[in-house]
Amino acid sequence: MIESKNAVDNEYLELELLLEGIFRKYGFDFREYSGAHIKRRLSHRLSAAGMQNFTQILHRIIYDEEFFKQILLDLSINVTEMYRDPTFYLELRQRVIPYLSTYPFIKIWHAGCSAGQEVYSNAILLEEENLLDRSQIYATDFNEKILQRAKEGIYPIEEIRKYTENYQKAGGRNSFSEYYTAHYDSALIKKSLKDNILFSFHNLVTDGVFGEMNMVFCRNVLIYFNKELQNKVLKLFHDSLIPGGFLCLGSKESLKFSAVEDDFEIISQQEKIYRKRR
């Protein structure tokens, strides 16, 4: 029993040293991510690379930058889809858009945008509400490779059926096929939706405030952070929003018990939409 506990402790020590090495060598800080999440992601790479332990990964990333890029992709959070959680987008359309429409210009930040599916979902919604032309969407991620995929806006055609169902449940007003061009086994998001989107690098863990936003999306990212990092990032969002700006989190995320809880009013408890108090 003691031997088993020692093995677990040693494994987590190796993980800590690996994350410290990534931070000191490349500047990416995963030290405050959830330990279980990090272990799960790196265990996959351990197996795929035929390595025996995390120390071997540490040794290789020190001398092999290409291998580190693979690790970085492993640690990215890329599970998403267009109109993920349709009821969230329905609520957004009905309860948030009326407020946003009162502004002459709208600035929106998608933090941790991954491959861009939710960014384009938002752009479609704004276009249907005649707000896209006076909106600027900033879509950021720390992973350059996934950011490039977001810029391209090309998704497997087999995923479009699910996206179409989500769009319809979210109150979509047109045929979803109007927003992409099918080409063999891929669907390309139409160019006009990209005109008001700026994709750029931003690391939530190490970078600062991102302008005066009317709305911030960061859905299903905080769940991978520990409590301290969650508070740090939520403070970053608070400082990035104008008074009266909206914060949209994922279904399993919340401001409850956070350091900024009292600085926001709840717009939708169910859909995790908050508004910064004036």
Side-chain angles (χ1 to χ4, degrees):
M1 190 70 175
I2 292 175
E3 192 172 316
S4 175
K5 183 179 183 309
N6 282 339
V8 171
D9 290 345
N10 288 343
E11 192 173 48
Y12 271 97
L13 175 59
E14 287 190 69
L15 264 180
E16 288 178 8
L17 293 172
L18 172 56
L19 298 183
E20 182 67 24
I22 289 173
F23 176 64
R24 292 178 62 176
K25 176 75 179 180
Y26 297 102
F28 288 92
D29 194 353
F30 297 98
R31 295 174 297 177
E32 293 182 279
Y33 275 53
S34 155
H37 164 67
I38 290 290
K39 184 182 174 186
R40 186 169 59 251
R41 293 298 181 104
L42 291 180
S43 293
H44 165 73
R45 181 54 52 194
L46 199 65
S47 174
M51 294 178 171
Q52 302 302 313
N53 52 57
F54 296 121
T55 298
Q56 290 182 344
I57 291 184
L58 171 60
H59 182 271
R60 186 163 170 188
I61 64 157
I62 290 174
Y63 298 100
D64 186 346
E65 188 169 347
E66 290 304 311
F67 183 66
F68 168 69
K69 289 178 181 176
Q70 284 187 315
I71 295 291
L72 195 59
L73 198 57
D74 292 335
L75 295 177
S76 295
I77 300 154
N78 301 318
V79 180
T80 186
E81 60 191 29
M82 291 190 76
Y83 287 95
R84 184 180 188 181
D85 305 321
T87 52
F88 161 78
Y89 282 95
L90 191 59
E91 195 83 331
L92 198 66
R93 187 189 293 269
Q94 294 174 344
R95 302 188 62 181
V96 176
I97 290 297
Y99 286 102
L100 290 183
S101 65
T102 64
Y103 290 92
F105 191 72
I106 302 163
K107 294 171 69 177
I108 298 171
W109 177 21
H110 279 260
C113 71
S114 187
Q117 287 93 332
E118 293 213 54
V119 180
Y120 293 122
S121 303
N122 186 202
I124 291 170
L125 191 156
L126 291 170
E127 180 167 277
E128 292 184 356
E129 298 294 335
N130 296 316
L131 296 178
L132 186 58
D133 286 346
R134 54 186 170 105
S135 299
Q136 177 64 60
I137 300 175
Y138 301 90
T140 66
D141 204 282
F142 72 79
N143 190 311
E144 299 279 9
K145 197 168 182 177
I146 205 72
L147 205 54
Q148 182 59 35
R149 285 174 55 191
K151 286 180 191 175
E152 293 168 354
I154 302 173
Y155 304 110
I157 198 74
E158 64 262 25
E159 294 180 6
I160 292 298
R161 177 176 292 180
K162 174 64 174 173
Y163 294 173
T164 302
E165 289 175 5
N166 287 352
Y167 167 76
Q168 291 167 342
K169 290 177 183 174
R173 293 177 178 168
N174 299 317
S175 167
F176 189 63
S177 61
E178 292 184 19
Y179 300 113
Y180 67 88
T181 302
H183 186 69
Y184 295 105
D185 57 352
S186 298
L188 172 64
I189 295 295
K190 75 174 186 178
K191 184 181 177 305
S192 63
L193 289 174
K194 302 176 181 177
D195 291 343
N196 294 56
I197 303 173
L198 180 63
F199 292 95
S200 62
F201 177 92
H202 184 277
N203 190 330
L204 283 172
V205 182
T206 54
D207 292 335
V209 171
F210 207 85
E212 296 184 337
M213 298 291 134
N214 297 92
M215 185 159 62
V216 172
F217 284 74
C218 187
R219 305 185 67 234
N220 306 298
V221 174
L222 295 181
I223 51 175
Y224 299 106
F225 298 165
N226 67 22
K227 195 68 181 174
E228 289 73 24
L229 184 54
Q230 286 182 17
N231 267 322
K232 178 182 173 183
V233 173
L234 287 172
K235 178 69 165 55
L236 177 68
F237 294 154
H238 172 274
D239 294 345
S240 298
L241 282 166
I242 62 169
F246 295 90
L247 175 62
C248 303
L249 302 179
S251 61
K252 295 179 181 176
E253 298 163 336
S254 171
L255 293 183
K256 205 168 184 179
F257 306 122
S258 76
V260 298
E261 178 181 6
D262 294 336
D263 296 330
F264 287 84
E265 59 179 305
I266 299 170
I267 299 300
S268 172
Q269 183 73 271
Q270 179 71 24
E271 305 302 339
K272 307 300 166 59
I273 301 174
Y274 303 89
R275 191 177 195 194
K276 183 177 175 179
R277 296 186 189 280
R278 295 180 182 275

